[in-house]
Amino acid sequence: MELYVILRAMAAIMLIVVNLTTQSFAKIPKRPPNIDIGSFECIPSSVNDITRDVIVYWQTIDDNEKHSIDELFEYRAYYTSMADNNTIIYHPCDNIFANHATFVGLELNTGYNIRVYSANKHGLSEKYASIYVPGLQSKDNTVSLSLRKVKKYSDQGIYELSWKIYDSQNLFSTNQLNYFTLYWCENKMIYPNQCNGFMDWIHVPSRESRFTITVPDSWKEYQFAISANSETLQKSSATGNRAYKFKSVSSGLVWETCTTLHLSKTSKVKSFWTSEVGSTYIALRWKFDCSEEVDFIRDFHVFYCPVDPVDNYSCLKPPAYQFVESYMKQYQTPFAFILSLKPSTVYKISIVIYTLNGRTIETESVTMATLPNTE
């Protein structure tokens, strides 16, 4: 009898634990992801040459904050606008990944307020992370940045970052809080994809041009980026009170231009990778070894052809090539789209760089399949 009572008590306790556990997950995520002032990037549009694509990055939240024991947790990103009746309209992003979302075909000269939520099957997080992406016509954020990474072999996991900023007077002023943000992102796959791992960052005073970072895991690959930011304290008297608020402006982040490995004496184009793939296009990026002088570059040509995977990936017709427009070359991490491709087709792609001194630098070829046609 005593054993029976003890077993029933234990069963009741287990039922209570199960109920409490179930109830603890039966709620929305604890919070949205973290976003920094400069956690956005504007790139040439994949749909036309009169708009831009915007990528917004964030720092993922911990598993115990998701309140989800299944695979239904996700992030949701929207840009907002106001309707005539002063209600907010939410425009969802076009593509979303583990730590970033892409908005395709946004206006060049329009600023956008973007919100990012954490979500599970019970709904969206009560709060949201917000970021403002200014229009390209704004002179307040017109600066040029370049970031160089040096990996120190003598100390695993230690990187020395150095950078240059041009036209800083357009963003930095003596009556503002001026600073840089240095980002590092855990790259779960060594190219070919956009960095999709855990992202973190640190703020550095604007007087600095060099910083040493020790990454959390010396055995993992990391990509680095930088943004230039300023904050101005402004007084608002709209309500009749002496309220103060910060007006924040950022250049948006720029990925590292190149990587120098200590003791390396060779100069080459780093592996290039596909940052986005559609049914009729492939987006490419590539990097240089820092010993290459980018100022000596004359032209980029992207060569591509459909291939037969069965026949040693040989071209089915002579390679076509695309000249990379001069405005594309201004991007610190070069960016190009190959358009008008056939759906569900494997392509072989390579890049040839022509320098002013007559030298030719060619990458190794990569293969990538376009997505099926969704129509």
Side-chain angles (χ1 to χ4, degrees):
M1 184 67 179
E2 291 182 359
L3 179 61
Y4 175 74
V5 173
I6 293 173
L7 290 175
R8 289 198 61 180
M10 291 178 63
I13 292 173
M14 291 180 64
L15 181 61
I16 293 173
V17 170
V18 170
N19 287 336
L20 289 175
T21 303
T22 303
Q23 292 173 10
S24 68
F25 284 111
K27 55 186 178 181
I28 59 178
K30 184 176 181 180
R31 65 174 178 87
N34 291 328
I35 284 183
D36 189 64
I37 177 177
S39 302
F40 67 89
E41 181 182 18
C42 300
I43 62 175
S45 180
S46 58
V47 294
N48 55 52
D49 58 359
I50 60 172
T51 61
R52 57 177 170 159
D53 293 351
V54 173
I55 305 174
V56 174
Y57 300 86
W58 56 80
Q59 183 186 75
T60 54
I61 69 175
D62 294 335
D63 289 342
N64 61 4
E65 297 177 298
K66 296 177 180 179
H67 293 160
S68 177
I69 56 176
D70 46 38
E71 299 298 323
L72 296 180
F73 176 86
E74 62 182 354
Y75 297 101
R76 296 184 187 176
Y78 308 86
Y79 78 80
T80 61
S81 61
M82 296 296 293
D84 293 337
N85 60 356
N86 289 329
T87 59
I88 299 177
I89 303 175
Y90 293 85
H91 308 266
C93 64
D94 295 276
N95 299 294
I96 198 157
F97 305 91
N99 75 342
H100 64 278
T102 304
F103 295 85
V104 176
L106 299 188
E107 298 292 331
L108 291 174
N109 297 325
T110 300
Y112 291 88
N113 290 298
I114 295 176
R115 299 181 179 185
V116 182
Y117 295 83
S118 298
N120 59 22
K121 63 182 180 182
H122 301 292
L124 302 178
S125 55
E126 291 183 0
K127 296 182 179 181
Y128 56 85
S130 62
I131 189 170
Y132 177 71
V133 179
L136 295 184
Q137 91 289 354
S138 174
K139 295 182 180 180
D140 293 335
N141 66 316
T142 306
V143 298
S144 178
L145 280 164
S146 62
L147 178 67
R148 174 178 299 203
K149 177 178 73 176
V150 176
K151 184 174 183 180
K152 295 188 174 182
Y153 277 148
S154 57
D155 297 293
Q156 285 189 338
I158 297 180
Y159 295 85
E160 182 181 89
L161 306 179
S162 60
W163 57 90
K164 292 181 180 179
I165 181 171
Y166 307 93
D167 300 322
S168 60
Q169 67 274 10
N170 293 332
L171 180 65
F172 290 166
S173 178
T174 55
N175 62 343
Q176 297 175 163
L177 174 62
N178 303 313
Y179 60 96
F180 296 102
T181 304
L182 295 176
Y183 306 84
W184 56 98
C185 179
E186 179 185 315
N187 198 9
K188 295 184 177 180
M189 292 174 285
I190 304 175
Y191 316 130
N193 294 309
Q194 187 81 16
C195 187
N196 207 24
F198 185 78
M199 176 178 278
D200 205 351
W201 51 80
I202 188 172
H203 293 162
V204 179
S206 60
R207 63 180 179 273
E208 303 293 339
S209 61
R210 189 178 300 271
F211 196 83
T212 300
I213 284 181
T214 302
V215 296
D217 190 337
S218 61
W219 295 103
K220 293 181 179 179
E221 290 290 329
Y222 289 84
Q223 288 179 243
F224 295 85
I226 188 172
S227 68
N229 323 296
S230 69
E231 295 186 30
T232 305
L233 189 61
Q234 294 184 330
K235 183 172 69 174
S236 174
S237 59
T239 60
N241 299 323
R242 296 177 61 86
Y244 292 86
K245 63 179 181 178
F246 279 104
K247 176 186 177 183
S248 302
V249 181
S250 177
S251 65
L253 63 80
V254 173
W255 291 103
E256 65 195 56
T257 311
C258 51
T259 302
T260 293
L261 303 179
H262 271 199
L263 307 179
S264 174
K265 296 182 180 179
T266 59
S267 216
K268 62 180 180 179
V269 177
K270 301 296 289 183
S271 302
F272 69 96
W273 65 98
T274 57
S275 59
E276 194 170 345
V277 178
S279 59
T280 60
Y281 70 89
I282 296 176
L284 303 173
R285 286 193 170 188
W286 59 96
K287 292 198 303 182
F288 292 95
D289 185 300
C290 287
S291 54
E292 287 292 346
E293 292 292 338
V294 179
D295 292 341
F296 287 102
I297 293 173
R298 188 187 70 198
D299 291 319
F300 293 101
H301 285 180
V302 179
F303 289 85
Y304 59 98
C305 65
V307 297
D308 183 359
V310 178
D311 186 18
N312 200 28
Y313 289 92
S314 57
C315 288
L316 297 176
K317 60 181 181 180
Y321 82 90
Q322 175 178 310
F323 173 73
V324 179
E325 298 291 343
S326 58
Y327 78 92
M328 296 277 199
K329 291 186 285 187
Q330 302 304 314
Y331 284 82
Q332 299 302 328
T333 305
F335 193 99
F337 279 101
I338 306 177
L339 304 174
S340 302
L341 302 180
K342 294 182 178 180
S344 302
T345 303
V346 179
Y347 285 87
K348 181 164 65 175
I349 308 166
S350 64
I351 299 174
V352 177
I353 294 91
Y354 300 94
T355 65
L356 293 176
N357 62 6
R359 186 181 174 194
T360 300
I361 307 170
E362 186 173 356
T363 67
E364 295 182 359
S365 298
V366 298
T367 56
M368 178 60 61
T370 53
L371 299 180
N373 197 335
T374 56
E375 296 182 357

